[in-house]
Amino acid sequence: KTDKEYYTLDDMFVSKAAKKELTNREEEHERQQAISEHRRLVASMEKCPYCFDNAELPKHLIIAIGVKVYLCLPNSLSLTEGHCLIAPLQHHTAATLVDEDIWEEVQMFRKALVKMFEARGLDCVFLETNTDMKKRYHMLYECVPLPKEVGDMAPIYFKKAIMESDE
């Protein structure tokens, strides 16, 4: 006789119970992973130096505050005179992940900065760096003013750097 012929009702209940126990263990493991991820996120957001609610945010460096975004000077060494940062008030990790109203306000700040630097005869480059998505760093949109001649050449420098990084 084959195994199927010896398969009884008791065997069926035992195998169903084993499957259910395995499913319960997997669900519990996923739940624990979600809880752990949430705790890491909360801990990183509490320590975030750019979240507006954080007491450690250097408020004396803030230039302008919008509804969802603020403009500030860098806390560390500036790249050039006029170097500034655009950051959302709440914790967001990348420009591609922000709401449309936040992005529109970032664009409004960008346009104002471009006008201001154009009046001074300068060009400016905007950049966002996102080095590690797992650590969930606060999104910072940097504005670096440059002389017009350098600003005109900036797209060429960036294209060359991107081409060289692909090699």
Side-chain angles (χ1 to χ4, degrees):
K1 294 185 171 188
T2 63
D3 285 342
K4 285 187 177 183
E5 292 175 8
Y6 291 114
Y7 192 74
T8 65
L9 191 59
D10 289 337
D11 294 333
M12 185 179 75
F13 285 123
V14 167
S15 64
K16 279 189 176 182
K19 284 181 185 176
K20 189 172 185 177
E21 183 179 328
L22 182 63
T23 304
N24 287 342
R25 271 192 259 141
E26 289 172 351
E27 286 175 356
E28 180 61 24
H29 179 71
E30 288 175 5
R31 183 176 165 275
Q32 290 301 325
Q33 277 185 317
I35 290 170
S36 175
E37 175 66 24
H38 177 73
R39 285 184 180 145
R40 277 195 304 268
L41 177 62
V42 167
S44 72
M45 287 174 61
E46 283 177 358
K47 296 175 188 172
C48 179
Y50 295 101
C51 283
F52 198 74
D53 295 336
N54 189 345
E56 293 180 26
L57 174 71
K59 304 265 195 260
H60 66 284
L61 297 176
I62 295 174
I63 299 167
I65 302 171
V67 177
K68 305 252 180 191
V69 175
Y70 69 93
L71 178 71
C72 70
L73 298 174
N75 195 12
S76 58
L77 187 64
S78 293
L79 296 175
T80 62
E81 185 178 330
H83 178 200
C84 55
L85 309 172
I86 302 171
L89 294 169
Q90 302 299 315
H91 194 90
H92 294 280
T93 56
T96 55
L97 302 174
V98 298
D99 294 334
E100 193 174 312
D101 54 341
I102 295 172
W103 182 246
E104 286 174 6
E105 195 167 338
V106 167
Q107 294 305 313
M108 184 183 70
F109 273 101
R110 272 187 64 185
K111 288 175 187 172
L113 288 168
V114 167
K115 275 186 181 179
M116 181 185 80
F117 287 122
E118 275 181 354
R120 295 181 178 181
L122 297 171
D123 203 352
C124 53
V125 173
F126 291 91
L127 56 117
E128 174 190 4
T129 53
N130 195 343
T131 54
D132 191 351
M133 285 297 287
K134 287 184 180 179
K135 291 191 178 181
R136 297 180 176 257
Y137 292 121
H138 197 106
M139 179 201 122
L140 291 176
Y141 210 67
E142 298 189 47
C143 173
V144 182
L146 304 168
K148 275 281 190 204
E149 314 80 56
V150 178
D152 292 340
M153 298 295 287
I156 297 168
Y157 291 127
F158 281 107
K159 186 172 184 175
K160 182 178 182 240
I162 291 169
M163 298 294 276
E164 288 175 355
S165 70
D166 287 343
E167 294 173 356

